[in-house]
Amino acid sequence: MNFDPRYSGRNFSSVGTRPIRPDGVDKVTGRARYGADFNMAGQLVGRVLRSPHAHAVIRKIDTSKAEKLAGVKAVITAADLPDLTDGDTAMYDILDNSMARKKALYDGHAVAAVAAVDARTARQALKLIEVDYEVLPHVTDVDEAMKHHAPLINDAIFTEGLEEKPVKPSNVTKLTQYGHGDIHDGFAKADFVIERSFKTEQTHQGYIEPHACVASVNPDGTADLWVCTQGHFVYRQHCAQLLGLEVSKLRVTSSEIGGGFGGKTHVWAEPVALALSRKAGRPVKLVMTRDEVFRASGPTSATSIDVKIGARKDGTITAAEATLRYSCGPYAGMWAEIGAMTAFACYKLENVKTVGYEVLVNRPKTAAYRAPSAPMAAFAVESAVDELAKEIGMDPVEFRIKNAAQEGTRASYGPVYGPIGIGPTLEAVKSHPHMKAPLGTNQGRGMACGFWFNFGGQTCTDLNIGMDGSVSLAVGTVDVGGSRASLSLVAAEELGIDYAQVKAVVADTSSLGYNDMTDGSRGTFSSSMATISAARNAIKVLRERAAQMWDIGVDDVAWEKGHAVAKGEKHGNLGKLSLKEIAAQSGKTGGPIAGHSELVADGAGVSFATHICDIEVDPDTGSTRVIRYTVVQDAGKAVHPTYVEGQYQGGAAQGIGWALNEEYIYGKDGRLQNPGFLDYRIPVCSDLPMIDTQILEIPNPNHPYGVRGVGETSIVPPLAAIANAVSNAVGVRMTHIPMSPPRILAALEAEREG
């Protein structure tokens, strides 16, 4: 059956309602099983030895004493994970990050691991492993790493993207450029030009659940991996390749996930656990400590960004330029490239140019964090946009409305937009009561816009109808934000049945066809498309069975509101057949009834949001208090509005923490000084106001229901909105995130002295 993914306006009965999520009771009662909740008979405890140095050659590792300790069943080093990547640089980086080979490249880099009968023995064994290091100079700052005299982290890296191939290795792995028009001509036409430099510090996703897995490699070559992940199919591919296993013989089951936000899209300890199990001949459970999560799993990039924007007196932007430098840890990344793509995506620009530099530093391998790279770019651009509007004498909202991208606009990164929501979000903000509310002493208001691409990708779904009329929906996208509820609503909508009749499960890798990683806000978008397709395939079977039961042609059977209906006057004596009635007779009419779908969900639909923030700043201490916050965002179609609002609020909350408090702090020795929630301070309830939300619905033309991804865009505007609010409150432009009290006081002092 051919599937048409195009949007078709329709009225909904299930989609758009707010039922209770199916996993809610298990989660609040403690029955839900997360990564560390799974156990296997005879399992061992895995522990990892990590480098105390930011940059060091590993001269020798002596594991003999640890191997002799009673209760130790396996000790591994890089020698137990031979290079099977066949020249695949990206996979080699994953391998080297899982277990250091020639050099330790950051504080916390894994250099050896043990499996023992209990945690105490494992810890003792780690102390007995002797590592001979040759400590090397290190660099942890993105700007310092670009200087010609900076310590070279990888002598095999030669900058890509240059007109001429470089002859010397560099810490700059890649240069990426986007744009169109003539920026020199554009700036020449400008009456006002703002040029600023900005910095953002490295942050962690802050998920509550640490990385955890149980690995079991069996004597027959098969293996099982239970793991908290955002993409068990991708984990299967990576782990199988790194360990030389046949993909079909590795089964990966995803646990419930206690937060990911992009941080659980990469393998970290899983290949190590599998290698330990293979060597020990027993299952191995490996759970990271919080210290390890901070030191050795992927945070976001630190950045250094220059922005220049020019405009005429009437407020028309004539040119915009940005140079973005993003740290990517000790391995090549694509983070500056994404920043360069998203920086000016909200605006209609005739002349625009962005240049991104990927920069190696002696910090952990950078990972995705909810719209990765976009918040930093938006912070720089939206801060400059606000300042330019002030120079011209225009209201910041009106200035953005005048220059906002619209349908038919050529985006700064290349494509031409279809129906988009940036204009409607700005109009909604303009008329929102929040924008008209009075401010008190030492208070400021800021607003900012944000953009994210969204992603679809390979998706596979099974829909099975039981003889009692119940529906089991098996999906391959991990539920990171309530997607099982949303997908159940979609199945109920298509089949015309009650939501309570549908149960959605996340299938393991042996039970369903391949699914891409649950990232790029693709979970509900792609799997709802596959669910619609699978349901329609099942409806085709239901119609065929009803036709058989009635002994009429299938073309004379329609499906309406959960029932088969005989069409035409000649069948006027036939009543309706419900899904349950047809399912009850399935054993007599041809067997089980099911629908299956595999597709590549293209056309995810870009997403825009505009945020408003009110903040109070104590000029004596530099302390800040967010007193009001509003999110306006286009969802395309909100399948489950409560969870859409939750995504909006979650992104805003994380953005508040990022803007005001959160940062990785490294000492002169290159070691992380705050690897825990006591010193790395994420917002708690008392730090946050009630976050108001407004859902807009500009249908995505590439989805039957008009759905767009919503999970990431909400973290893009907060850094800029809060920076604009703080700057307005204190009368000084803030250019360094986070805006912690010492930085605010320093900015005020510099203004007084200047």
Side-chain angles (χ1 to χ4, degrees):
M1 179 179 177
N2 292 327
F3 176 67
D4 185 357
R6 291 176 298 177
Y7 173 71
S8 57
R10 58 182 288 178
N11 295 320
F12 296 101
S13 56
S14 293
V15 166
T17 62
R18 301 171 183 257
I20 295 173
R21 62 189 296 166
D23 54 332
V25 173
D26 284 349
K27 286 184 173 178
V28 299
T29 58
R31 287 200 296 264
R33 291 203 296 175
Y34 293 84
D37 293 328
F38 186 74
N39 297 288
M40 296 184 73
Q43 73 184 19
L44 303 171
V45 175
R47 288 288 186 272
V48 178
L49 181 67
R50 301 187 179 277
S51 169
H53 306 293
H55 195 195
V57 173
I58 301 172
R59 289 173 171 167
K60 182 182 178 182
I61 302 179
D62 184 350
T63 62
S64 58
K65 293 179 182 178
E67 290 166 348
K68 294 175 183 177
L69 182 66
V72 172
K73 302 301 179 181
V75 182
I76 67 167
T77 64
D80 298 282
L81 281 166
D83 182 8
L84 305 175
T85 60
D86 194 27
D88 185 331
T89 303
M91 287 304 299
Y92 180 84
D93 288 351
I94 295 172
L95 176 67
D96 188 70
N97 190 52
S98 296
M99 187 66 70
R101 313 189 79 71
K102 299 176 183 178
K103 291 199 301 182
L105 297 172
Y106 56 90
D107 167 40
H109 199 167
V111 296
V114 303
V117 292
D118 55 39
R120 181 173 178 273
T121 304
R123 288 193 296 268
Q124 286 181 315
L126 292 184
K127 294 177 182 178
L128 295 175
I129 298 174
E130 299 174 358
V131 185
D132 181 13
Y133 293 104
E134 177 190 345
V135 179
L136 301 174
H138 64 272
V139 59
T140 58
D141 180 78
V142 64
D143 287 321
E144 291 297 319
M146 291 186 68
K147 295 179 179 179
H148 71 276
H149 61 267
L152 189 62
I153 295 172
N154 187 340
D155 58 12
I157 293 291
F158 293 81
T159 307
E160 296 180 21
L162 299 176
E163 291 184 5
E164 295 183 10
K165 185 176 180 179
V167 296
K168 292 184 178 181
S170 170
N171 287 334
V172 179
T173 71
K174 187 178 180 181
L175 180 150
T176 308
Q177 184 170 305
Y178 291 94
H180 54 258
D182 185 334
I183 60 167
H184 299 292
D185 182 61
F187 282 120
K189 294 177 180 177
D191 297 309
F192 299 91
V193 175
I194 288 291
E195 192 167 3
R196 285 280 191 180
S197 295
F198 302 87
K199 283 185 78 80
T200 69
E201 297 299 329
Q202 191 166 53
T203 54
H204 198 271
Q205 299 86 351
Y207 38 79
I208 302 303
E209 180 194 20
H211 297 269
C213 66
V214 178
S216 179
V217 179
N218 307 309
D220 62 358
T222 62
D224 287 276
L225 181 66
W226 165 281
V227 61
C228 54
T229 173
Q230 290 178 239
H232 45 314
F233 289 89
V234 175
Y235 274 42
R236 178 186 65 173
Q237 302 291 110
H238 288 177
C239 289
Q241 184 173 348
L242 295 180
L243 276 87
L245 300 171
E246 292 183 36
V247 171
S248 61
K249 291 186 176 181
L250 175 59
R251 180 178 65 178
V252 182
T253 304
S254 64
S255 68
E256 293 291 344
I257 184 169
F261 315 111
K264 290 175 182 170
T265 59
H266 304 251
V267 297
W268 308 104
E270 294 78 16
V272 174
L274 285 162
L276 285 169
S277 175
R278 179 167 61 186
K279 191 167 186 177
R282 287 168 60 177
V284 172
K285 183 173 184 175
L286 202 161
V287 181
M288 279 189 174
T289 64
R290 185 63 59 188
D291 178 280
E292 289 179 298
V293 169
F294 275 99
R295 292 173 61 216
S297 68
T300 190
S301 300
T303 74
S304 171
I305 303 173
D306 302 326
V307 174
K308 183 180 180 181
I309 310 178
R312 290 197 291 264
K313 294 177 182 178
D314 67 355
T316 303
I317 295 176
T318 59
E321 182 179 16
T323 301
L324 309 100
R325 298 165 288 271
Y326 280 60
S327 67
C328 50
Y331 305 101
M334 57 177 290
W335 311 111
E337 179 177 357
I338 300 174
M341 294 172 74
T342 59
F344 293 109
C346 292
Y347 299 106
K348 177 176 59 179
L349 303 170
E350 291 186 8
N351 307 292
V352 59
K353 179 182 178 181
T354 57
V355 180
Y357 293 90
E358 316 286 348
V359 186
L360 299 183
V361 292
N362 292 117
R363 296 190 180 207
K365 174 181 169 68
T366 297
Y369 180 13
R370 204 170 189 166
S373 302
M376 304 84 116
F379 160 60
V381 168
E382 291 293 302
S383 295
V385 166
D386 228 50
E387 197 165 358
L388 184 55
K390 186 176 181 180
E391 282 286 311
I392 295 171
M394 285 186 70
D395 176 83
V397 179
E398 293 289 358
F399 182 66
R400 287 173 171 86
I401 290 173
K402 183 177 183 64
N403 293 284
Q406 54 194 265
E407 185 172 0
T409 294
R410 183 183 178 189
S412 57
Y413 63 98
V416 175
Y417 289 134
I420 57 174
I422 180 64
T425 67
L426 283 164
E427 293 291 347
V429 161
K430 179 182 175 181
S431 60
H432 198 283
H434 186 165
M435 289 299 288
K436 301 176 178 65
L439 290 168
T441 305
N442 297 324
Q443 294 179 356
R445 175 169 298 139
M447 53 81 58
C449 301
F451 160 89
W452 187 243
F453 308 99
N454 295 327
F455 172 63
Q458 301 177 77
T459 313
C460 184
T461 297
D462 275 339
L463 186 150
N464 292 279
I465 300 174
M467 294 183 69
D468 61 352
S470 62
V471 174
S472 175
L473 183 66
V475 301
T477 45
V478 175
D479 186 349
V480 296
S483 62
R484 278 172 292 198
S486 297
L487 297 176
S488 295
L489 283 171
V490 169
E493 185 73 51
E494 279 297 312
L495 295 171
I497 60 176
D498 189 79
Y499 166 82
Q501 290 177 244
V502 185
K503 180 176 177 59
V505 298
V506 180
D508 65 54
T509 58
S510 295
S511 304
L512 198 63
Y514 181 83
N515 281 259
D516 278 323
M517 183 71 66
T518 303
D519 59 8
S521 301
R522 67 174 294 268
T524 297
F525 167 77
S526 62
S527 280
S528 66
M529 188 180 290
T531 298
I532 293 167
S533 175
R536 291 177 182 177
N537 289 334
I539 288 170
K540 181 176 181 292
V541 178
L542 287 163
R543 289 174 53 237
E544 291 170 349
R545 300 298 178 84
Q548 185 178 340
M549 293 168 68
W550 281 328
D551 194 23
I552 64 176
V554 69
D555 291 340
D556 290 337
V557 180
W559 190 261
E560 298 175 1
K561 297 181 180 179
H563 294 78
V565 179
K567 298 187 296 183
E569 294 182 2
K570 60 182 177 179
H571 302 310
N573 62 327
L574 297 176
K576 297 179 180 179
L577 283 173
S578 69
L579 178 145
K580 186 173 183 179
E581 290 171 324
I582 298 169
Q585 298 299 315
S586 59
K588 301 175 183 178
T589 59
I593 300 173
H596 179 77
S597 176
E598 61 282 318
L599 50 78
V600 177
D602 291 326
V606 296
S607 177
F608 293 90
T610 302
H611 291 198
I612 318 167
C613 174
D614 292 354
I615 200 160
E616 183 174 288
V617 183
D618 186 327
D620 296 322
T621 65
S623 66
T624 55
R625 183 171 67 94
V626 180
I627 53 179
R628 187 169 181 179
Y629 202 100
T630 300
V631 177
V632 181
Q633 183 175 324
D634 171 25
K637 176 61 186 178
V639 177
H640 194 305
T642 299
Y643 302 144
V644 170
E645 291 164 351
Q647 291 293 322
Y648 291 2
Q649 292 164 332
Q654 288 179 312
I656 290 170
W658 191 343
L660 297 176
N661 289 306
E662 297 180 36
E663 65 175 309
Y664 270 41
I665 300 173
Y666 278 87
K668 292 182 179 180
D669 58 359
R671 301 201 68 184
L672 183 61
Q673 296 183 336
N674 59 333
F677 285 142
L678 182 62
D679 297 310
Y680 179 93
R681 195 173 183 284
I682 64 172
V684 296
C685 290
S686 57
D687 296 315
L688 299 171
M690 292 299 293
I691 297 171
D692 297 323
T693 61
Q694 183 176 346
I695 299 172
L696 302 185
E697 295 185 324
I698 293 87
N700 174 11
N702 303 306
H703 186 283
Y705 293 0
V707 171
R708 300 177 191 268
V710 302
E712 294 177 273
T713 310
S714 53
I715 202 174
V716 181
L719 275 62
I722 296 165
N724 288 334
V726 172
S727 299
N728 290 333
V730 300
V732 178
R733 172 54 53 184
M734 300 301 298
T735 60
H736 196 160
I737 294 289
M739 293 170 290
S740 56
R743 286 205 179 100
I744 291 175
L745 291 177
L748 289 171
E749 181 65 24
E751 181 73 8
R752 284 193 292 268
E753 293 178 354

